[in-house]
Amino acid sequence: MPKTSARLLALLSLLQARRDWPGALLAERLDISPRTVRRDVDRLRELGYPIVAFKGPDGGYRLDAGSELPPLLFDDEQAVALAIALQIATTTGVGIEEAAARALTTVRQVMPARLRRRIETLRFTAVERPTTRPDPQVDSAVLMALSAAVHAREVLRFDYVPVSPPTADSQPTADSQPTADSSTTADSPTPADSPTTAGDDPVLAPPRRVQPHHLVTWGGRWYLVAWDLDREDWRTFRADRITPRTPTGPRFTPREVPGGDVAAFVAGRFRGSDGSGSGGWPCRGEVILDLPAAAVSRHLHDGVVEELGPDRCRLVLGSWSWTGLAAAVGRFDAGIEVVGPPELRDAFAHLARRYADAAAARP
């Protein structure tokens, strides 16, 4: 039989691995008697671990949530994963950099020497994507409030600051087509979203009333995916522009997001579709470029390039509009042959006329 300390660690590891453990199964896994299992459970309770017993034919034990955080047991892989996660916490946009650094220091101090050496050699710099302006930080208290409302399935009220607060001189516009790199989002003001009054000050819009369904991250920002009760439609709100109101409620029955997959839904919204599809671009075309495939592929993110010769390649690319797709292809500054569809060819003709007018204009 293993020593008591080793046996307690093995028991604690099993209790952390799954929610419920029948007593007989624990005894079998540890190769000890049920009576020894009961004694070891009592010892762990004395150390501060909230272990509860449940009755029934398969009566056993469960590691419950306690009011204090007792010592945790991690295997080697879990400890390394935790250290890596704490190092990249600076890219979450939640403003927890200092807390993450303190937690990483604590983890390193209690690690065995062999793991500490592995962590010390794993040094890297988390580089965020370049932007014209830094991504705004989200108050962790706001994220906790949003997450709590999602978990409790309670209607949420909040004040929301749009991308461009409307004034008496501004004209409401339709929802803009968002992209992952743009500052506009799927919740851009619509005529119903943008009441105006006299004066030059931004208008204080009434609070939004939504059924919160998912809290997601995209491109270094946090978003709330929710069903807007007043607009009777799905909306995606930037968390850094949300100020929750209290109290929440009443409770609601969750809806299924269009398409059934929240990741595909959000990706589709940020690519200009309604989010009900697979998350792909709503406009997709094919062209042949007078460029080597290697010269095109290094500037491409999610397109498909096929080499046709030393200086020719086939490119399949998507965008939120046909005009946007034509402009994206035109940036390669090479001969273009449109394979299809006809909408892409029409978009090139439209841009050609627009560019010709711009070139002919004189100051």
Side-chain angles (χ1 to χ4, degrees):
M1 179 184 297
K3 294 182 179 180
T4 302
S5 58
R7 201 173 62 240
L8 290 178
L9 290 175
L11 174 59
L12 181 58
S13 179
L14 290 176
L15 290 173
Q16 290 180 161
R18 54 185 278 184
R19 178 171 174 80
D20 295 329
W21 277 96
L25 183 56
L26 283 175
E28 178 183 344
R29 291 289 293 271
L30 297 171
D31 194 22
I32 57 178
S33 67
R35 181 179 179 182
T36 303
V37 171
R38 290 193 294 271
R39 287 203 305 263
D40 288 349
V41 166
D42 290 337
R43 291 189 179 99
L44 289 176
R45 287 169 175 164
E46 292 173 0
L47 293 174
Y49 292 94
I51 301 175
V52 297
F54 57 90
K55 299 180 179 180
D58 294 325
Y61 303 95
R62 175 189 306 132
L63 183 60
D64 204 8
S67 58
E68 297 180 355
L69 184 64
L72 301 177
L73 178 66
F74 296 106
D75 59 32
D76 289 7
E77 292 182 353
Q78 289 175 325
V80 172
L82 177 60
I84 294 175
L86 290 172
Q87 290 187 62
I88 64 175
T90 57
T91 63
T92 60
V94 189
I96 58 173
E97 294 84 354
E98 183 180 348
R102 294 199 311 270
L104 181 59
T105 300
T106 301
V107 170
R108 282 174 174 160
Q109 289 174 347
V110 299
M111 277 184 174
R114 68 179 190 281
L115 285 183
R116 193 181 306 117
R117 284 192 294 269
R118 290 180 62 185
I119 296 302
E120 291 298 333
T121 59
L122 184 62
R123 295 297 183 125
F124 59 88
T125 301
V127 179
E128 301 184 52
R129 59 182 176 84
T131 57
T132 55
R133 52 186 176 182
D135 289 333
Q137 295 289 303
V138 184
D139 191 335
S140 58
V142 171
L143 290 183
M144 293 300 297
L146 300 182
S147 181
V150 171
H151 179 74
R153 299 176 179 176
E154 292 180 340
V155 171
L156 181 67
R157 297 181 305 125
F158 56 84
D159 296 316
Y160 191 70
V161 180
V163 178
S164 300
T167 65
D169 298 328
S170 65
Q171 296 297 323
T173 60
D175 289 0
S176 60
Q177 299 292 350
T179 67
D181 297 325
S182 69
S183 60
T184 57
T185 63
D187 51 272
S188 299
T190 64
D193 298 336
S194 308
T196 57
T197 60
D200 295 330
D201 295 331
V203 178
L204 182 62
R208 309 294 285 260
R209 296 172 53 253
V210 304
Q211 295 176 345
H213 283 68
H214 300 277
L215 188 62
V216 302
T217 60
W218 175 283
R221 290 176 177 169
W222 291 81
Y223 296 89
L224 177 68
V225 178
W227 176 263
D228 193 309
L229 292 172
D230 296 322
R231 291 151 184 81
E232 297 185 347
D233 194 11
W234 289 96
R235 290 290 191 272
T236 305
F237 300 95
R238 272 180 51 174
D240 60 286
R241 294 187 173 129
I242 292 177
T243 302
R245 290 195 177 194
T246 56
T248 57
R251 294 176 64 86
F252 64 90
T253 301
R255 305 168 184 259
E256 184 178 24
V257 296
D261 185 341
V262 64
F265 171 77
V266 172
R269 280 295 178 97
F270 277 79
R271 288 176 168 178
S273 69
D274 61 2
S276 60
S278 62
W281 294 107
C283 301
R284 196 168 183 85
E286 179 179 341
V287 299
I288 294 177
L289 297 177
D290 293 338
L291 280 175
V296 175
S297 59
R298 65 170 172 260
H299 300 293
L300 214 58
H301 296 292
D302 59 355
V304 178
V305 182
E306 177 188 356
E307 185 175 2
L308 299 180
D311 295 311
R312 275 170 69 83
C313 67
R314 185 188 312 275
L315 172 62
V316 179
L317 193 63
S319 181
W320 61 271
S321 73
W322 293 112
T323 305
L325 178 56
V329 174
R331 66 189 171 93
F332 288 102
D333 192 21
I336 303 169
E337 177 186 340
V338 179
V339 178
E343 290 85 352
L344 179 57
R345 187 174 288 103
D346 294 341
F348 274 111
H350 174 72
L351 282 182
R353 291 191 296 268
R354 177 170 293 176
Y355 291 159
D357 292 342
R362 293 289 185 270

